[in-house]
């Protein structure tokens, strides 16, 4: 039919003679049509042989544009793919992610194939897809009722309030009939209070009995249409147009259908009793039946006519001047005051994430609270995420809060307690040192090497002061001095205790007749022991500081809501080497003192040294499991407590008994008691 009609257009005048022009005065210069791609391509196969340009104002999909490469076919509207892009932007702008689709049955498959991938990529799902038959057969009541039922069920989808319609004008007319038949008395029910989005450039036409329906079904719908402008004089032309001014019969036929009247010479005169006067006014017709404004398709036809006219004009002039293309700016889309919600389920609030439901589309999901330590700060997040290391989640798991920087200080309770204890022991040690200096010439002070006694008291003073380094804010200098100062001062103290013990043993061994130990009796042996043992610890600390020096760092993981400023030891190996060496000296002192505890003499220090080393070792043996099982400030508190406890054990066990005799029992502090036998 298309081929024959095209040939009639080309060659039929008084009779049909293909490929011959019987009237040289009538030359077909161009064809303008709005038919579908299939029909247009069939026409193009014929007219391109005769080099006749063909212009179309219908919408073409991407694959349909291939025919324009084969034939002289020019499209006056943009490609259909541009509408898909605009549709995606529209849906995302209003947050419509759960929509229904109605499409004409001859285009449904291709339309959905193109559109569905774009929807999925942008997080939009189809609640349903329903094809619309191209033709409505009112005589087939069962088929009609089935269509009404299926479409009605889809329209009652409460979660989907946005419907996309894809089809031609005749398809929309059929769709109007089905929807109106659902509830013809209730316009509000027909509207369904939904949003309708119409693809393609659709003319709203009414057919047959639809003219008498009070149909405002698509009132307020969104439609993709070709850009139009007001044409000067167009409305005035429609206002004055009369059938009497047009003798070709076309206007008379339009008049018959619009006003449901007939002229005496028309075919409708047998069925319509009312006679047309010719003075009817087009302005009195309802808008769905006739529009006084130029529609998108009409504007495309208008442009096509002028494109042909300008082309002919240029061809006559045998010139080619560059065309000036005017860019048309679309106005900004304004949001509606009241928008429907069209989603499968309510969006997930911040603090939760979307968990897909098995067997359902990704637009349908459950909202699951974020796990501990993670947050989501936006709606409908696919997953929760962790805060940065210096932040922690709030209670609602909707945001992150900056962690506070903390460290063991003098201001908090445990810091005040440890610092007060350190100062008290420091003052007590200073008082004892003063007592021993004041009574330096008494036998009890002179016994067991007076210089070692002073060295031990001074080293204990430094031990108590070294604990204060652990209670100050960690910095570069503090971290460098903290552990080496503690290790060296304690090594001097324990070395001094070891020297005092060895001195007692050597002194009693030298009293035996013929003993070779007499040459070792004196201050040289004691100070050699202290110097050697202390220098070895100093060497360990020096290598530690030059190879792996301690440095301040932030511990962001031990506490959920705090960052702990602490000293990184640099090398755990050297840290335990320092503690291990101190343990070796302490064990050696304990063993020597244990075997010398029964030596005679009222002022034999071996017994006191045995008890002091036993207490010292007990403290540091307990230190290791406590230190390894704690973190942050508690770890520092354990080390400070161990320093104070072990230093206090040395001070109490060795010096308090002597101080008691010097202060409260001065009668025992004389030479006779010193040489008295048990």
């Amino acid at each position: 039919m298309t081929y024959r009609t095209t040939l009639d257009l080309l060659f039929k005048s008084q009779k049909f003679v293909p490929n011959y022009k019987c009237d040289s005065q009538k030359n077909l210069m161009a064809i303008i049509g709005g038919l579908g791609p299939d029909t247009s391509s069939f026409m193009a196969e014929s007219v391109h042989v005769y080099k006749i340009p063909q212009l179309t104002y219908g919408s073409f999909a991407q694959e349909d544009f291939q025919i324009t490469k084969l034939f002289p076919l020019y499209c006056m509207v943009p490609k259909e793919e541009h509408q898909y892009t605009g549709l995606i932007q529209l849906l995302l702008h209003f947050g419509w992610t759960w929509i229904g689709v109605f499409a004409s049955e001859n285009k449904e498959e291709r339309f959905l194939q193109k559109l569905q991938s774009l929807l999925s990529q942008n997080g939009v799902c189809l609640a349903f897809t329903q094809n619309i038959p191209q033709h409505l057969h009112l005589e087939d009541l069962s088929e009609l009722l089935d269509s009404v039922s299926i479409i009605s069920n889809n329209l009652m989808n409460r979660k989907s309030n946005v419907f996309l319609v894809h089809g031609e004008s005749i398809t929309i007319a059929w769709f109007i009939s089905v929807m109106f038949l659902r509830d013809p008395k209730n316009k509000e029910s027909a509207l369904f209070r939904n949003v309708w989005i119409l693809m393609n450039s659709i003319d709203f036409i009414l057919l047959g009995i639809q003219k008498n329906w009070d149909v405002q079904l698509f009132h307020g719908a969104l439609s993709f249409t070709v850009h139009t402008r007001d044409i000067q004089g167009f409305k005035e032309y429609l206002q004055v147009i009369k059938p009497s001014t047009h003798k070709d019969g076309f206007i008379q036929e339009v008049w018959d259908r619009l006003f449901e009247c007939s002229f005496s010479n028309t075919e409708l005169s047998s069925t319509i009793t009312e006679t047309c006067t010719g003075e009817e006014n087009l302005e009195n017709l309802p808008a769905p039946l006739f529009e006084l404004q130029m529609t998108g398709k009409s504007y495309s036809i208008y442009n096509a006519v002028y494109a042909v006219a300008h082309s002919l004009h240029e061809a006559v002039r045998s010139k080619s001047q560059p065309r000036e293309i005017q860019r048309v700016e679309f106005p900004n889309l304004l949001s509606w005051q009241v928008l429907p919600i069209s989603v499968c389920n309510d969006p997930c609030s911040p603090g939760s994430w979307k968990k897909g439901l098995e067997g359902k589309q990704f637009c349908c999901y459950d909202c699951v609270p974020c796990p501990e330590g993670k947050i989501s700060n936006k709606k409908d997040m696919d997953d929760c995420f962790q805060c940065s290391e210096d932040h922690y989640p709030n209670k609602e798991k909707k945001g992150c809060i900056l962690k506070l920087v903390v460290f063991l200080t003098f201001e908090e309770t445990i810091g005040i307690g440890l610092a007060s204890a350190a100062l008290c022991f420091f003052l007590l040690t200073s008082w004892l040192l003063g007592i021993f200096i004041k009574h330096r010439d008494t036998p009890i002070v002179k016994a067991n090497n007076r210089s070692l006694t002073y060295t031990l008291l001074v080293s204990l003073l430094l031990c108590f002061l070294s604990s204060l380094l652990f209670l100050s804010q960690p910095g570069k200098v503090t971290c460098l001095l903290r552990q080496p100062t503690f290790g060296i001062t304690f090594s001097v103290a324990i070395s001094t205790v070891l020297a005092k013990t060895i001195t007692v043993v050597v002194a009693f061994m030298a009293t035996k007749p013929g003993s070779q130990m007499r040459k070792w009796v004196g201050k040289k042996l004691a100070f050699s022991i202290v110097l050697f043992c202390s220098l070895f610890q100093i060497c360990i600390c020096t290598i530690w500081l030059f190879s792996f020096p301690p440095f301040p760092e932030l511990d962001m993981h031990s506490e959920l809501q705090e960052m702990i400023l602490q000293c990184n030891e640099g090398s755990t190996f050297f840290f335990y080497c320092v503690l291990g060496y101190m343990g070796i000296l302490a064990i050696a002192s304990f063993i020597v003192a244990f075997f010398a505890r029964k030596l005679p003499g009222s002022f034999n220090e071996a017994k006191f040294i045995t008890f002091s080393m036993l207490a010292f070792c007990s403290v540091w043996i307990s230190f290791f499991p406590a230190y390894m099982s704690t973190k942050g400030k508690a770890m520092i508190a354990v080390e400070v407590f161990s320093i104070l406890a072990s230093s206090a054990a040395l001070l109490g066990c060795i010096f308090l008994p002597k101080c008691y005799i010097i202060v409260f029992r001065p009668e025992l502090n004389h030479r006779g008691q010193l040489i008295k036998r048990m």
Side-chain angles (χ1 to χ4, degrees):
M1 288 297 296
T2 303
Y3 292 141
R4 175 56 194 265
T5 304
T6 303
L7 293 176
D8 281 344
L9 178 66
L10 294 174
F11 304 113
K12 188 176 181 180
S13 55
Q14 295 180 354
K15 59 182 179 178
F16 178 61
V17 182
N19 210 33
Y20 284 90
K21 289 185 178 182
C22 300
D23 188 351
S24 59
Q25 301 299 320
K26 295 181 180 181
N27 295 324
L28 184 63
M29 305 304 300
I31 295 176
I32 300 173
L35 301 175
D38 296 338
T39 305
S40 295
S41 63
F42 295 152
M43 292 182 64
E45 291 178 15
S46 300
V47 298
H48 92 282
V49 177
Y50 304 98
K51 309 302 181 186
I52 298 175
Q54 182 179 349
L55 293 85
T56 178
Y57 54 88
S59 179
F60 277 71
Q62 180 66 42
E63 57 269 21
D64 297 329
F65 265 79
Q66 302 301 321
I67 62 176
T68 64
K69 299 179 181 180
L70 303 175
F71 312 123
L73 179 64
Y74 305 97
C75 300
M76 302 304 297
V77 294
K79 293 183 292 186
E80 190 174 276
E81 276 66 20
H82 294 310
Q83 295 186 25
Y84 299 162
T85 303
L87 173 65
I88 296 297
Q89 294 178 0
L90 177 67
L91 296 176
L92 295 180
H93 178 79
F94 292 112
W96 294 325
T97 60
W98 190 248
I99 66 171
V101 173
F102 295 96
S104 58
E105 57 185 358
N106 63 328
K107 292 186 177 182
E108 179 188 15
E109 183 177 355
R110 187 184 68 183
F111 171 66
L112 293 178
Q113 183 179 5
K114 292 290 185 180
L115 184 62
Q116 197 155 12
S117 61
L118 290 175
L119 294 176
S120 299
Q121 293 171 13
N122 291 275
V124 181
C125 295
L126 297 181
F128 63 86
T129 58
Q130 174 66 47
N131 63 40
I132 305 174
Q134 286 185 279
H135 304 287
L136 177 65
H137 302 288
L138 295 176
E139 63 276 6
D140 191 345
L141 185 59
S142 60
E143 179 183 354
L144 176 62
L145 293 177
D146 290 341
S147 299
V148 172
S149 176
I150 295 174
I151 293 177
S152 295
N153 291 335
N154 286 328
L155 290 175
M156 295 306 294
N157 188 323
R158 294 301 182 185
K159 292 182 179 179
S160 178
N161 294 317
V162 174
F163 300 131
L164 179 65
V165 181
H166 183 274
E168 304 297 335
S169 300
I170 189 65
T171 306
I172 304 304
W174 187 98
F175 194 52
I176 291 174
S177 299
V178 173
M179 295 182 66
F180 189 83
L181 288 173
R182 180 181 181 274
D183 192 354
K185 297 181 179 180
N186 191 345
K187 292 190 297 181
E188 291 295 325
S189 176
L191 284 169
F192 298 114
R193 298 180 181 176
N194 297 320
V195 175
W196 296 89
I197 302 176
L198 309 180
M199 301 294 289
N200 298 333
S201 181
I202 298 174
D203 288 332
F204 293 97
I205 60 176
L206 297 179
L207 303 175
I209 62 173
Q210 294 178 348
K211 296 178 183 180
N212 299 321
W213 294 353
D214 185 11
V215 178
Q216 297 182 11
L217 181 66
F218 295 108
H219 178 66
L222 302 177
S223 175
F224 289 90
T225 184
V226 179
H227 171 68
T228 61
R229 287 190 299 180
D230 290 335
I231 305 301
Q232 185 177 3
F234 179 72
K235 185 175 182 180
E236 289 75 10
Y237 166 75
L238 294 178
Q239 290 173 336
V240 300
I241 190 173
K242 301 297 179 184
S244 57
T245 59
H246 295 76
K247 303 301 183 181
D248 56 4
F250 173 73
I251 296 298
Q252 290 186 3
E253 184 176 353
V254 171
W255 223 258
D256 289 344
R257 295 186 180 275
L258 289 178
F259 295 101
E260 295 184 321
C261 61
S262 64
F263 293 92
S264 58
N265 59 344
T266 62
E267 298 178 358
L268 297 176
S269 58
S270 60
T271 59
I272 299 177
T273 58
E274 187 176 348
T275 304
C276 297
T277 63
E279 299 299 325
E280 291 82 1
N281 194 340
L282 294 174
E283 287 186 288
N284 298 329
L285 294 172
L289 192 60
F290 187 83
E291 296 184 47
L292 290 177
Q293 294 180 345
M294 186 173 286
T295 63
K297 285 189 175 181
S298 297
Y299 188 72
S300 297
I301 298 173
Y302 174 84
N303 287 334
V305 171
Y306 271 88
V308 173
H310 284 294
S311 299
L312 292 175
H313 180 66
E314 294 300 323
V316 171
R317 295 176 56 186
S318 299
K319 291 183 179 181
S320 177
Q321 296 180 354
R323 290 180 58 194
E324 180 181 355
I325 301 177
Q326 182 179 3
R327 180 178 295 274
V328 179
E329 299 293 340
F330 291 91
N332 294 329
L333 181 63
L334 299 178
S335 302
W336 296 347
Q337 301 239 341
V338 179
L339 286 175
I341 298 175
S342 187
V343 293
C344 182
N345 49 260
D346 294 334
C348 293
S349 60
S352 60
W353 62 284
K354 299 190 301 184
K355 182 180 180 181
L357 298 176
E358 187 175 355
K360 293 189 177 182
Q361 299 186 58
F362 65 88
C363 291
C364 304
Y365 45 81
D366 283 335
C367 296
V368 181
C370 290
E372 290 297 326
K374 291 187 176 183
I375 69 158
S376 62
N377 55 1
K378 296 180 180 178
K379 289 184 178 181
D380 279 344
M381 293 196 68
D382 294 326
D383 198 2
C384 301
F385 61 92
Q386 291 183 334
C387 296
S388 58
E389 291 185 339
D390 56 346
H391 288 74
Y392 68 94
N394 57 15
K395 291 183 179 180
E396 296 80 13
K397 300 178 183 179
K398 297 179 181 179
C400 297
I401 302 174
L402 181 65
K403 293 181 179 180
L404 297 176
V405 179
V406 297
F407 51 88
L408 188 60
T409 63
F410 302 105
E411 287 80 8
E412 52 189 306
T413 304
I414 188 172
I416 294 173
L418 294 174
S420 300
L423 292 175
C424 290
F425 284 122
F426 175 80
L427 294 175
L428 179 60
T429 306
S430 302
W431 178 72
L432 289 175
L433 180 59
I435 293 295
F436 275 76
I437 293 175
K438 181 179 180 180
H439 300 86
R440 61 184 176 277
D441 295 327
T442 59
I444 199 170
V445 176
K446 294 171 67 175
N448 300 112
N449 198 325
R450 182 171 51 190
S451 300
L452 288 179
T453 299
Y454 295 153
T455 303
L456 179 56
L457 286 171
V458 172
S459 63
L460 288 176
L461 282 173
L462 295 177
C463 286
F464 288 123
L465 289 177
S466 67
S467 64
L468 299 179
L469 290 173
F470 292 85
L471 299 176
S472 57
Q473 181 175 349
K476 291 183 178 179
V477 177
T478 306
C479 291
L480 286 174
L481 295 178
R482 181 180 286 184
Q483 299 292 356
T485 301
F486 149 69
I488 293 172
T489 54
F490 260 81
S491 296
V492 173
I494 302 172
S495 300
T496 304
V497 173
L498 179 62
K500 290 172 73 67
T501 309
I502 293 175
T503 299
V504 172
V505 175
V506 171
F508 277 96
M509 293 178 65
T511 60
K512 296 180 180 180
S515 176
Q516 300 295 325
M517 300 299 295
R518 292 182 179 180
K519 61 181 179 180
W520 295 102
V521 177
K523 296 182 179 180
K524 290 183 179 180
L525 175 62
F527 280 104
S528 297
I529 294 173
V530 174
L531 183 61
F532 174 78
C533 294
S534 301
L535 284 176
F536 192 83
Q537 184 72 290
I538 291 173
C539 290
I540 295 176
C541 293
T542 302
I543 297 173
W544 182 8
L545 293 179
F546 278 97
S547 56
F548 304 101
F551 57 90
E553 70 170 359
L554 283 173
D555 179 10
M556 300 182 179
H557 306 289
S558 297
E559 299 293 337
L560 179 61
Q561 300 180 6
E562 295 176 341
M563 292 183 291
I564 302 174
L565 181 60
Q566 62 184 15
C567 289
N568 187 307
E569 308 305 344
S571 172
T572 306
F573 171 76
F574 280 104
F575 173 67
Y576 286 112
C577 281
V578 170
L579 294 180
Y581 181 68
M582 288 169 47
I584 293 173
L585 293 179
I587 293 172
S589 299
F590 173 76
I591 293 173
V592 175
F594 180 79
F595 286 109
R597 73 188 186 283
K598 294 184 179 181
L599 292 175
S602 299
F603 303 111
N604 181 10
E605 288 186 311
K607 295 179 181 179
F608 304 125
I609 292 175
T610 302
F611 286 116
S612 66
M613 287 297 101
L614 182 62
F616 183 92
C617 292
S618 300
V619 170
W620 286 103
I621 290 174
S622 303
F623 162 79
F624 284 101
Y627 186 82
M628 296 297 294
S629 62
T630 55
K631 294 181 179 180
K633 296 190 293 183
M635 181 183 289
I636 304 301
V638 167
E639 187 170 359
V640 173
F641 176 81
S642 301
I643 293 173
L644 296 178
S646 58
S647 301
L650 292 178
L651 183 67
C653 294
I654 296 176
F655 293 103
L656 287 183
K658 294 181 180 181
C659 184
Y660 173 77
I661 294 175
I662 294 173
V663 177
F664 298 104
R665 301 291 298 275
E667 69 275 7
L668 299 177
N669 189 9
H670 55 84
R671 184 176 177 81
Q673 287 290 334
L674 182 63
I675 61 175
K676 181 181 178 181
R677 301 296 182 184
M678 295 298 297

